[in-house]
Amino acid sequence: MSAPSLLNALWQSGQLRTLDHALAQSLRRLDPDTPDEVLAAAALASLAVSQGHAGFDPAQPQMLVEAPLPWPEPEAWTRALGTSRWVATPEAADIEAATDAPLVLEHTLEGRGLLYLRRYREYERRLALQLHRIAAHPLPGDAPTPLAPLFAQLFPTSSLLPPAGDKPAGTAGLDDEVARRASAMDGASQRARRADEGAFHEDRQARAAAVALRHALLLVTGGPGTGKTTTITRLLTLLVAQARHAGRAAPRIALAAPTGRAAERMAESVRAAAQTLEAAGIDAGLCAQLPTTGTTLHRLLGTIPDTPRFRHHADHPLPLDVVVVDEASMIDLPLMTKLVEAVPDGARLVLLGDPDQLPSVEAGDVLAGILLAAGDGAHLTAADAEALQPLLGTASAAAVSNVPPAFPARHVHLTRGFRQHDALQLAPLAIAVRTGDATSTLDLLRGATLPGVHFHEDLADPLQVHRDRLLAHWTSLARTDSPAEALRLATRLRLLTAVRDGPQGARSVNARVEAILSGSRLGGSRGRGAGHFHGRLLLITQNSYRHRLFNGDIGICLRDDDGHLVAWFPGEDPSQPRPFHPATLPAHESAFAMTVHKAQGSEFDEVWLLLPERSTRVLSRELVYTGITRARRELHLAGSAGIIEAALARHASRWSGLGWRLGFTDY
């Protein structure tokens, strides 16, 4: 009697998508002798990608499928995969996999086997190669000492003083006190003072800016309000001054992010920080070279209608010297691969992100993988500590790592402070959630001691209890004077859900809001508009390169002066949104409520985070953390203590070989 089919069990129990099952069936038709465990693994590798993983680990199938099934013994399963005609087994991490096999098996960390769809293994391989290329490319050997006066002004908390002598280009405008103190000390006396006092610049923001002078690939991580964009503004100012001092042209700089709103928010922060620097006496000529606008990654790379390819790629790189990318945790594996391939030799790439947020919606956990290879962000290498001593001082032994990294990128993790509006004190709650401390989280929520934080324990239906408050916001959007104003006001409030389906899911909540608004006198009848009505918030769910609309973009339907419905979406200029006929839009849905995943990269004045009544595998501390940190002024959290405890006990982990691949030493 033959053993029961694992593939059939997966299909009949509803664990596989039609696409996953079709892949396995195609392999069976091509070779009827293909073992069942290989066919099942192929289907699971496809399913894994749909759930955000880069590949599938045969040793942990329960992480993908919770149903009790007769799983093969992991070592035997891996051996069967390694001998299959459908599975390539490259000899090294940097070797391209055979093109005649749709699957790739590699033994990554701790000898564990990871089964990839070939396309995603190649994305990972190409990404690792290109990150190594960027990080290892030599930069001009400019000494940091001439920048010390400017550095002291940009980071005034330093106890270090600039060396005596002529001011380098870009340091005009040093305040009188700093200039007086600088001229009063010669270089020898300063070096002696540093040696005697052991002075070291402990400001992580300053450390990040200094390290950027020496390295082409830098990761700056930290929670909300730890100063990532403030750091970037000062870092870029230093790079402009460095180029000026060396007689080079000012660097060509781009600010980018996965979503338009995240890009504009970063640009707003940089503009504000630049104005502050200029007001504090930083050379206006330096500040004038800083970028004033941001763009999405898709627009940066140059979309081509009706194709996922971009105008800029390895053979036609971006005409830039510095690329700064915010919200790096949101970037999936294919998009990050295409981005780094378009970064030219000798250019700098700076990635900003919060490692405690949810990973990307699509496949990959790219930021986590890079950070795994780039270190903890708390230490300097011995070479950096020595080279940057004129700026940072003499580093303590505890601050220096003497182990040379296999991956030549640099990582600085910012830890000080959270950005908070006076009305919202979120930091203690965010820390408790991030660390998975359910007891402290519930104590803080129930104690009602945090301004702006409201806990609605066991509330399953905010629309019923707080209907008037929520509807007042949504109906106000239809009364605005312009589409630009409506889009701006839409960021004042958002209802976020942990799940898409179910009573507390975004789809269900949106359907109820649609029914209320579209049936009201304000919204009018739905008519033939496929559910479109005046005041309907829209969320794009599928990339459209033709329209330059991408998954996660938010717009609104409004009637024009002739009474026709027009869908408006943000443009390059926030004051000039782009109009579309609703019937021509790519796949979309309402955005009165949206999942936390879809809200990444956005912030709202008031956030209502609705947790489900039943536990689900998508719940995690990263999801709760990401949801609560979308709030700028007011947070409402609705859910039970049991669900919160279950969420904080779970990590949103993903299978990926990127960290292992980046540490591969033969690149």
Side-chain angles (χ1 to χ4, degrees):
M1 182 175 178
S2 62
S5 167
L6 177 59
L7 178 63
N8 287 345
L10 286 165
W11 178 244
Q12 292 170 4
S13 62
Q15 305 299 323
L16 300 178
R17 302 172 302 157
T18 301
L19 181 64
D20 310 324
H21 190 247
L23 171 62
Q25 295 290 62
S26 296
L27 299 181
R28 172 177 281 162
R29 283 193 297 271
L30 291 170
D31 184 355
D33 294 329
T34 302
D36 179 76
E37 61 263 42
V38 173
L39 298 174
L44 289 169
S46 174
L47 177 65
V49 168
S50 74
Q51 294 188 13
H53 302 282
F56 165 63
D57 183 357
Q60 302 181 78
Q62 299 87 351
M63 185 172 161
L64 194 63
V65 175
E66 292 181 339
L69 295 173
W71 300 112
E73 192 275 326
E75 291 187 7
W77 201 356
T78 301
R79 285 195 299 272
L81 291 169
T83 59
S84 171
R85 62 174 291 192
W86 303 123
V87 181
T89 55
E91 294 182 359
D94 60 338
I95 295 177
E96 182 178 1
T99 58
D100 58 352
L103 303 168
V104 181
L105 178 67
E106 287 188 296
H107 293 278
T108 59
L109 296 173
E110 302 173 353
R112 180 183 301 157
L114 200 60
L115 183 70
Y116 294 88
L117 298 182
R118 183 183 183 278
R119 174 187 299 179
Y120 285 88
R121 187 270 182 179
E122 288 304 299
Y123 277 137
E124 222 178 59
R125 180 188 68 86
R126 288 160 49 193
L127 176 57
L129 282 170
Q130 294 302 318
L131 287 170
H132 268 275
R133 172 187 64 84
I134 295 169
H137 197 281
L139 296 175
D142 302 324
T145 303
L147 298 175
L150 176 61
F151 192 88
Q153 191 177 11
L154 290 170
F155 299 98
T157 57
S158 173
S159 61
L160 305 181
L161 299 175
D166 295 337
K167 295 180 181 179
T171 60
L174 282 171
D175 63 79
D176 293 340
E177 178 60 15
V178 172
R180 182 190 65 77
R181 293 169 68 197
S183 62
M185 302 176 64
D186 61 22
S189 66
Q190 285 194 78
R191 286 190 293 272
R193 184 175 74 85
R194 291 192 184 101
D196 290 342
E197 298 180 4
F200 179 62
H201 208 317
E202 296 290 355
D203 185 345
R204 295 277 183 92
Q205 295 185 10
R207 188 187 301 182
V211 167
L213 297 172
R214 283 176 44 83
H215 296 281
L217 179 56
L218 174 66
L219 295 99
V220 182
T221 61
T226 49
K228 295 186 291 293
T229 51
T230 299
T231 301
I232 287 304
T233 306
R234 298 176 182 183
L235 179 159
L236 295 176
T237 303
L238 280 173
L239 293 180
V240 173
Q242 182 185 50
R244 178 187 290 186
H245 180 71
R248 298 190 296 270
R252 298 163 296 174
I253 304 168
L255 305 177
T259 68
R261 181 57 194 143
E264 177 54 27
R265 194 174 70 245
M266 176 169 58
E268 289 172 357
S269 297
V270 170
R271 289 194 299 267
Q275 291 173 359
T276 300
L277 291 180
E278 190 170 349
I282 300 297
D283 186 348
L286 293 179
C287 297
Q289 298 297 327
L290 301 181
T292 59
T293 61
T295 185
T296 65
L297 290 174
H298 290 87
R299 293 191 185 110
L300 176 73
L301 294 173
T303 57
I304 301 175
D306 302 319
T307 173
R309 296 190 300 274
F310 294 105
R311 290 198 306 271
H312 293 288
H313 44 75
D315 296 326
H316 183 218
L318 293 161
L320 297 168
D321 302 301
V322 183
V323 180
V324 180
V325 181
D326 198 7
E327 299 288 356
S329 65
M330 295 178 60
I331 306 175
D332 58 51
L333 181 57
L335 183 56
M336 184 67 87
T337 301
K338 294 171 184 178
L339 169 65
V340 298
E341 287 181 336
V343 174
D345 288 340
R348 286 176 167 88
L349 175 62
V350 182
L351 300 177
L352 312 179
D354 185 345
D356 296 307
Q357 285 190 23
L358 283 168
S360 60
V361 175
E362 305 298 335
D365 196 358
V366 174
L367 180 62
I370 300 174
L371 293 177
L372 186 65
D376 61 8
H379 297 86
L380 285 168
T381 65
D384 286 341
E386 180 179 0
L388 297 172
Q389 191 265 353
L391 303 183
L392 298 176
T394 302
S396 65
V400 176
S401 172
N402 292 310
V403 179
F407 179 45
R410 293 296 181 266
H411 172 212
V412 179
H413 184 65
L414 308 181
T415 58
R416 188 172 62 188
F418 276 75
R419 175 187 62 254
Q420 293 182 156
H421 189 274
D422 291 342
L424 177 63
Q425 298 298 317
L426 192 60
L429 181 63
I431 292 170
V433 169
R434 187 184 67 208
T435 56
D437 187 345
T439 300
S440 295
T441 296
L442 289 170
D443 286 345
L444 288 168
L445 290 171
R446 287 168 171 163
T449 58
L450 300 178
V453 176
H454 309 277
F455 184 34
H456 306 275
E457 190 165 3
D458 297 324
L459 177 64
D461 189 1
L463 268 181
Q464 183 178 24
V465 180
H466 300 278
R467 169 174 168 150
D468 291 345
R469 175 176 184 163
L470 296 170
L471 290 181
H473 165 73
W474 291 321
T475 56
S476 71
L477 302 179
R479 300 191 181 99
T480 55
D481 295 330
S482 68
E485 179 67 5
L487 289 171
R488 187 185 68 81
L489 291 179
T491 65
R492 286 189 175 178
L493 183 148
R494 195 60 47 89
L495 203 160
L496 304 183
T497 68
V499 295
R500 176 175 171 80
D501 298 307
Q504 289 80 40
R507 180 177 291 176
S508 174
V509 174
N510 276 323
R512 292 174 61 197
V513 176
E514 289 173 17
I516 295 170
L517 294 182
S518 64
S520 69
R521 184 170 58 86
L522 177 66
S525 62
R526 291 190 180 216
R528 298 191 308 162
H532 299 110
F533 56 87
H534 186 64
R536 184 188 181 195
L537 281 175
L538 302 174
L539 174 70
I540 298 297
T541 60
Q542 185 178 57
N543 290 342
S544 172
Y545 297 92
R546 174 183 296 275
H547 296 84
R548 291 187 298 120
L549 291 172
F550 303 101
N551 192 354
D553 285 353
I554 294 176
I556 189 169
C557 276
L558 296 173
R559 294 194 183 279
D560 62 17
D561 293 339
D562 297 323
H564 299 129
L565 274 178
V566 178
W568 297 89
F569 284 83
E572 294 282 358
D573 183 348
S575 66
Q576 299 292 327
R578 296 179 295 148
F580 297 88
H581 191 288
T584 68
L585 292 174
H588 59 281
E589 60 193 26
S590 287
F592 303 106
M594 57 197 298
T595 63
V596 173
H597 257 114
K598 293 289 188 181
Q600 284 183 270
S602 298
E603 291 180 343
F604 310 97
D605 290 346
E606 182 178 342
V607 164
W608 286 72
L609 177 58
L610 177 60
L611 300 180
E613 290 184 292
R614 296 183 179 180
S615 184
T616 169
R617 66 188 308 150
V618 304
L619 282 174
S620 66
R621 67 182 64 172
E622 289 83 4
L623 184 142
V624 177
Y625 174 84
T626 303
I628 66 174
T629 55
R630 299 310 89 202
R632 285 190 294 241
R633 301 191 178 196
E634 191 169 356
L635 169 68
H636 295 262
L637 196 157
S640 69
I643 289 297
I644 292 173
E645 290 169 344
L648 299 194
R650 185 183 290 117
H651 269 299
S653 58
R654 286 184 173 180
W655 288 316
S656 169
L658 182 60
W660 160 78
R661 207 177 299 278
L662 287 171
F664 187 67
T665 57
D666 290 343
Y667 282 110

